[in-house]
Amino acid sequence: KYPVLILLIVKQENNIGILRLVSHIVTRDIISCLFPWMTIEVKFYSSGFMRIPFCPIPVEKARKIVGTTFYGVVEPFLKVSRGFEIQLKQAGIPLNGREYLSIAMFSSIFMFLIMYVLFLIFTVRIINLFNALSMSFFIAAIFFFVTFFYIKIYPKVLIKKRVIDIERNLLYALRHMHVQITSGVPVFDA
């Protein structure tokens, strides 16, 4: 019967702030005041872009390449860190714990190899071969552990960013709802 206007809100990197949501709700309210006969629907679509730090290739390709290769290696980390699956969901990462930690292991091994070769090239000119090999291995091992554990705590970093974003924009959303309610708009429409 009536024309339908659909507002498309595209989430970037699985993160949408309340302020952007409020601005789209205000847009919906203005359009509904100007065109009361029009039905307005707000739909959310994800852009599908996800990034894991230090991962040398896109996540979908890494997921296909890694497959189930590192599942046995990362299983103890899943047993130790309880609630990791929940953290991934809260962070908006559409991978299960095994896949995510397998990609983290793949990225860490990649960083290990790159750092080992780079440090070997630079140290073999300065010191003898045996010391260069052992020193390069030690430095590359440090990079391996730092990379793996940073990727492992990355969902917590994303969750913290989301919480800060929500807390920063919550006051504006509440003010908007207060203005809507005091102007006579029912609570469910505000």
Side-chain angles (χ1 to χ4, degrees), residues 146-161:
V146 168
T147 303
F148 182 77
F149 286 110
Y150 180 76
I151 294 173
K152 188 176 179 303
I153 65 164
Y154 184 65
K156 289 181 184 179
V157 172
L158 287 180
I159 293 169
K160 194 164 198 118
K161 281 184 184 178

Side-chain angles (χ1 to χ4, degrees), residues 24-40:
H24 290 293
I25 290 173
V26 170
T27 306
R28 183 189 69 189
D29 291 342
I30 291 171
I31 292 172
S32 64
C33 289
L34 294 176
F35 308 104
W37 64 87
M38 197 176 278
T39 306
I40 299 172

Side-chain angles (χ1 to χ4, degrees), residues 113-142:
L113 293 175
I114 294 294
M115 290 299 138
Y116 183 73
V117 170
L118 285 176
F119 279 104
L120 185 63
I121 289 171
F122 289 123
T123 57
V124 80
R125 294 179 182 174
I126 300 170
I127 55 179
N128 64 9
L129 183 63
F130 179 74
N131 288 340
L133 288 172
S134 60
M135 191 160 124
S136 297
F137 182 81
F138 178 72
I139 292 173
I142 291 173

Side-chain angles (χ1 to χ4, degrees), residues 2 14 30 45 66 68 71 74-75 79 91 112 114 126-127 130 134 153 160 167 171 181 183 187:
Y2 300 107
N14 295 324
I30 291 171
Y45 291 99
V66 171
T68 60
Y71 278 10
V74 299
E75 194 66 36
K79 289 180 181 176
F112 173 82
I114 294 294
I126 300 170
I127 55 179
F130 179 74
S134 60
I153 65 164
K160 194 164 198 118
E167 287 176 352
L171 183 61
I181 291 171
S183 66
V187 175

Side-chain angles (χ1 to χ4, degrees), residues 4-9 28 38-44:
V4 176
L5 176 67
I6 299 176
L7 297 176
L8 298 177
I9 302 173
R28 183 189 69 189
M38 197 176 278
T39 306
I40 299 172
E41 297 176 16
V42 179
K43 294 187 177 182
F44 294 93

Side-chain angles (χ1 to χ4, degrees), residues 44-112:
F44 294 93
Y45 291 99
S46 176
S47 64
F49 176 74
M50 186 189 64
R51 192 178 149 274
I52 296 177
F54 301 114
C55 189
I57 56 178
V59 175
E60 290 302 320
K61 288 183 182 178
R63 180 192 244 176
K64 290 177 185 174
I65 290 172
V66 171
T68 60
T69 307
F70 298 113
Y71 278 10
V73 177
V74 299
E75 194 66 36
F77 292 105
L78 282 174
K79 289 180 181 176
V80 170
S81 57
R82 297 174 193 255
F84 189 69
E85 301 272 344
I86 296 170
Q87 289 176 358
L88 289 174
K89 284 184 182 179
Q90 288 175 344
I93 298 174
L95 299 171
N96 64 30
R98 286 183 179 152
E99 291 174 335
Y100 184 81
L101 288 179
S102 294
I103 292 172
M105 185 64 70
F106 168 73
S107 301
S108 301
I109 290 172
F110 182 80
M111 283 295 286
F112 173 82

